[in-house]
Amino acid sequence: MKNENSIRIFLIDNHALFRKGLKAILADYPNFDIIGDSSNYLQAESILQENPVDMILIDTDFYTIKNNEFSENFLNKNLTKKIVALTFAKSKLEFLNAIKSGIHGYILKDEEIEYLIVCIEKIHSGRFIVSESMVDKLVELLIQKSEFPINFLISDRELEVLNLIQNGYSNSQIGKHLFLSENTIKTHIKHIYKKMSVSNRREAIEKGILWGILK
Amino acid sequence: MDQEKTFVLIASANSIFRNGILKILSKRNDFQNLFIEQASDIKEVLKKYSKNKPRVLIIDYDDKNIKKKLFMNSFFQDQHNAQLLLVSLEQSGNVVFYDRQVLSTDEAHLWLQIPWNENKSFLNSE
């Protein structure tokens, strides 16, 4: 029997077997009221507009910024009070993107169900919970954020290039977009890497977000 | 009795996935006729597979603890009717389903002569 204090939960995950299984597990807990589940944002949004919840458990590709905007949307439109990432993603960038989008917890799918249950209850009561194996990454990100970017004098053009990199453009696509040659783009990227002390696109995006120059 | 039950093996290192599948199966009408076991690594999978000859196997094949090649070798060397559902937790695309039917050579000969679209009823007539 569900009571009026039950935590109202909605699941978003495009892996139907995992989602339906988790839904069946959580539904057995009297403290949880599983309002629904969906494989995608748009469907979830239309359901949640009719029936807002306390918490969304979401597995997403946090690598793409578009998904973060969806997460922010859910919160801004008061469709949920909390959003918790429940994911296999362990990279710093995905973790960072998820945190930036305003999530209230980052739980790995590898965890035991009992741990997940405890996390849901703690997050509902106002705590921010991160899976233990992600804590090191959180610390690394905090250290990186505190680095003062002495050589960081990035030009408007370089920022434009960095933005396009974040949106998944290749060098030739950036060139076409900005009406510049691919070689010029490569030179811009080289300068960006040097100024940001990074060695690849992923690191550049990470630092860009950390330093607040990328969304 | 256990001998009359359908043996189901769920293999994945992921506890939420294993227990979720178990919950889904528990809602089946024939749940009482199922004997369900779980395995979280290849050692356990091979042990339970060779001992119990499961009729249904649900395998998280991208799971590093499961070692898909080792399992598949064992599966192909073995000969008993089995349904195998290959799921990848890392990818949300399609799952792969194999329904292995073991035939005598006489049955195989008959099977070759029956139109393909009627084979299903032939295989299920056992």
Side-chain angles (χ1 to χ4, degrees):
Chain A
M1 284 286 287
K2 307 296 175 189
N3 58 57
E4 58 183 26
N5 296 322
S6 295
I7 305 171
R8 293 161 52 80
I9 297 174
F10 193 90
L11 308 175
I12 304 174
D13 190 328
N14 62 359
H15 200 300
L17 283 180
F18 189 92
R19 187 179 78 243
K20 295 292 183 188
L22 179 59
K23 185 181 175 186
I25 294 173
L26 295 180
D28 273 359
Y29 285 79
N31 290 348
F32 301 149
D33 189 1
I34 310 303
I35 299 304
D37 66 290
S38 172
S39 63
N40 67 74
Y41 293 94
L42 293 177
Q43 190 190 35
E45 191 173 359
S46 71
I47 298 170
L48 291 165
Q49 272 167 350
E50 300 293 319
N51 212 350
V53 292
D54 295 314
M55 189 179 293
I56 294 174
L57 298 181
I58 187 169
D59 183 18
T60 182
D61 175 10
F62 280 104
Y63 187 75
T64 54
I65 196 157
K66 202 176 174 191
N67 287 344
N68 297 337
E69 288 168 358
F70 278 120
S71 302
E72 285 170 359
N73 253 350
F74 286 136
L75 292 167
N76 292 340
K77 291 181 180 172
N78 294 320
L79 303 180
T80 182
K81 291 173 190 160
K82 311 272 183 187
I83 291 196
V84 178
L86 180 63
T87 176
F88 282 118
K90 293 175 185 166
S91 82
K92 264 198 291 186
L93 181 56
E94 285 155 313
F95 184 41
L96 178 62
N97 274 333
I99 290 173
K100 283 275 289 182
S101 73
I103 56 149
H104 301 86
Y106 196 93
I107 313 297
L108 294 176
K109 280 182 168 176
D110 305 337
E111 303 287 3
E112 295 292 323
I113 188 69
E114 293 78 12
Y115 179 83
L116 176 64
I117 302 300
V118 172
C119 289
I120 290 173
E121 285 167 345
K122 284 184 177 172
I123 292 166
H124 180 65
S125 66
R127 296 269 304 275
F128 177 84
I129 306 278
V130 168
S131 272
E132 203 176 321
S133 57
M134 297 304 290
V135 171
D136 286 350
K137 291 201 167 67
L138 186 61
V139 172
E140 281 172 35
L141 287 169
L142 288 171
I143 291 168
Q144 276 183 10
K145 189 172 169 60
S146 68
E147 286 172 359
F148 183 72
I150 296 170
N151 300 318
F152 197 68
L153 293 165
I154 200 163
S155 69
D156 288 347
R157 178 61 92 191
E158 286 163 353
L159 185 56
E160 222 169 345
V161 171
L162 191 55
N163 263 308
L164 293 169
I165 288 174
Q166 187 187 24
N167 283 304
Y169 283 56
S170 67
N171 288 354
S172 74
Q173 286 170 326
I174 295 172
K176 279 178 192 158
H177 192 80
L178 299 178
F179 303 106
L180 296 171
S181 76
E182 201 172 333
N183 277 338
T184 308
I185 299 303
K186 281 181 186 169
T187 306
H188 279 312
I189 292 173
K190 200 172 145 189
H191 290 160
I192 292 168
Y193 285 4
K194 194 176 174 190
K195 288 177 180 178
M196 298 181 85
S197 302
V198 296
S199 54
N200 58 51
R201 286 169 183 246
R202 205 178 173 91
E203 287 176 11
I205 297 167
E206 262 175 36
K207 276 203 174 171
I209 295 170
L210 271 174
W211 290 346
I213 57 168
L214 290 177
K215 194 177 173 191
Chain B
M1 295 297 286
D2 283 355
Q3 282 179 335
E4 296 160 5
K5 291 190 171 188
T6 301
F7 185 80
V8 181
L9 181 61
I10 307 167
S12 171
N14 190 289
S15 147
I16 298 177
F17 176 69
R18 283 197 319 270
N19 286 295
I21 295 291
L22 186 62
K23 279 282 174 201
I24 291 169
L25 293 176
S26 73
K27 296 185 191 319
R28 286 172 61 104
N29 292 334
D30 62 348
F31 179 64
Q32 287 184 332
N33 296 325
L34 304 181
F35 178 74
I36 302 172
E37 282 233 48
Q38 300 184 31
S40 58
D41 59 45
I42 185 64
K43 201 175 157 188
E44 211 178 351
V45 172
L46 294 179
K47 189 178 162 190
K48 289 179 175 172
Y49 178 74
S50 61
K51 185 182 168 197
N52 299 307
K53 306 287 180 201
R55 179 74 180 83
V56 179
L57 294 107
I58 299 159
I59 307 278
D60 175 11
Y61 71 90
D62 268 344
D63 190 322
K64 285 172 190 160
N65 289 343
I66 298 302
K67 301 191 187 341
K68 125 179 105 177
K69 277 188 183 171
L70 265 177
F71 168 73
M72 291 308 276
N73 283 343
S74 175
F75 182 76
F76 285 122
Q77 279 168 21
D78 193 34
Q79 283 195 0
H80 74 279
N81 286 355
Q83 295 185 327
L84 173 63
L85 192 68
L86 290 169
V87 183
S88 169
L89 270 190
E90 288 178 11
Q91 293 165 23
S92 53
N94 297 331
V95 300
V96 179
F97 174 69
Y98 293 105
D99 188 357
R100 180 168 67 190
Q101 306 281 342
V102 181
L103 307 176
S104 68
T105 50
D106 282 339
E107 287 170 328
H109 178 242
L110 187 59
W111 179 77
L112 284 169
Q113 298 171 73
I114 298 172
W116 299 111
N117 57 2
E118 290 174 23
N119 276 339
K120 200 172 179 208
S121 55
F122 164 73
L123 289 169
N124 292 334
S125 66
E126 270 185 90

